[in-house]
Amino acid sequence: RKEVEQDPGPFNVPEGATVAFNCTYSNSASQSFFWYRQDCRKEPKLLMSVYSSGNEDGRFTAQLNRASQYISLLIRDSKLSDSATYLCVVPTGGFKTIFGAGTRLFVKA
Amino acid sequence: DTGVSQDPRHKITKRGQNVTFRCDPISEHNRLYWYRQTLGQGPEFLTYFQNEAQLEKSRLLSDRFSAERPKGSFSTLEIQRTEQGDSAMYLCASSLGTSGPQLTDTQYFGPGTRLTVL
């Protein structure tokens, strides 16, 4: 089993739609989690961090389910500018950070 | 611009040559990371520095790869005897960390160095 797994997509959604991505992780000792956004041929940038059960920032909600070892990202009222790859990030018990392969999102007019 | 910078942005080399990349982190950041990213994949962890100490190195990193951060500021990543499989984007990130091994700090990425090995 991969340490961090994501559905690669792509997710093709119309503007205004709600879309959700899941990410599963294998290290039960992980305490903190992140969602990064990466635009085509650009560097990743932090979108949200998740330390407890969840986090909300405007149209974006991240939730953590420790029992099932997954985190989710919900995007409401999708905008064209949300089109990107969303990377799930799980620091390990040491100093190593594991990125998922990413979920591609395309928002269409 | 006070973000993470990387140099060069692009490097084309022939198989068997050595290459060296440089990363300048955000000035007050004590933690520095190197990653490798290929098309369709997420960044793959290579190594981690806290100040000048290299505290973690991926087992995927062969002996041809070496990284340094001599004064706890900029870092270099060297690849010796490059192979075509080394072609990738090499990303550097930095963070200001005060927590222990369970890292909770935000990593800020540089624009990357794209390596092509012919």
Side-chain angles (χ1 to χ4, degrees):
Chain A
R1 180 183 177 184
K2 287 185 179 179
E3 292 181 272
V4 178
E5 290 196 77
Q6 294 184 249
D7 181 346
F11 285 68
N12 293 288
V13 302
E15 273 188 294
T18 296
V19 62
F21 313 136
N22 279 342
C23 166
T24 59
Y25 61 94
S26 61
N27 188 343
S28 59
S30 294
Q31 298 293 313
S32 55
F33 308 86
F34 303 87
W35 284 101
Y36 277 71
R37 171 196 169 125
Q38 186 171 29
D39 293 300
C40 187
R41 305 185 77 83
K42 298 285 189 180
E43 70 273 21
K45 293 183 178 179
L46 179 69
L47 179 66
M48 297 186 75
S49 55
V50 188
Y51 302 134
S52 57
S53 61
N55 191 11
E56 184 171 334
D57 183 6
R59 298 182 294 109
F60 298 85
T61 301
Q63 292 190 318
L64 168 63
N65 185 317
R66 291 189 188 276
S68 300
Q69 293 184 209
Y70 77 83
I71 59 175
S72 63
L73 178 67
L74 180 77
I75 305 175
R76 291 181 296 276
D77 189 22
S78 299
K79 311 292 184 189
L80 293 175
S81 57
D82 293 334
S83 297
T85 296
Y86 290 85
L87 299 164
C88 173
V89 183
V90 182
T92 68
F95 296 98
K96 184 179 175 183
T97 304
I98 306 297
F99 281 72
T103 297
R104 297 189 71 186
L105 172 66
F106 295 101
V107 181
K108 300 177 291 185
Chain B
D1 188 347
T2 56
V4 179
S5 61
Q6 292 187 245
D7 184 70
R9 295 290 304 276
H10 304 273
K11 178 70 177 179
I12 299 173
T13 191
K14 292 183 179 180
R15 188 177 55 183
Q17 298 295 304
N18 299 343
V19 295
T20 299
F21 309 141
R22 177 181 171 122
C23 171
D24 285 272
I26 294 172
S27 59
E28 66 269 24
H29 283 185
N30 56 340
R31 292 176 167 167
L32 187 145
Y33 317 75
W34 283 99
Y35 296 88
R36 177 173 61 190
Q37 187 174 27
T38 54
L39 193 63
Q41 299 298 314
E44 177 184 27
F45 174 85
L46 294 178
T47 191
Y48 162 75
F49 289 88
Q50 182 152 311
N51 299 309
E52 67 276 10
Q54 188 175 22
L55 298 184
E56 187 90 34
K57 185 176 176 180
S58 170
R59 284 173 287 180
L60 299 173
L61 217 59
S62 74
D63 291 341
R64 297 185 296 107
F65 288 72
S66 62
E68 294 183 340
R69 195 183 182 196
K71 298 182 180 179
S73 56
F74 74 91
S75 175
T76 59
L77 176 68
E78 182 183 16
I79 308 174
Q80 295 181 326
R81 306 181 301 283
T82 52
E83 301 172 356
Q84 288 183 326
D86 297 331
S87 295
M89 175 72 84
Y90 289 83
L91 292 163
C92 174
S94 71
S95 68
L96 180 63
T98 57
S99 60
Q102 286 290 341
L103 301 178
T104 58
D105 36 295
T106 300
Q107 296 183 33
Y108 295 87
F109 283 81
T113 294
R114 183 170 296 280
L115 173 67
T116 301
V117 181
L118 302 176

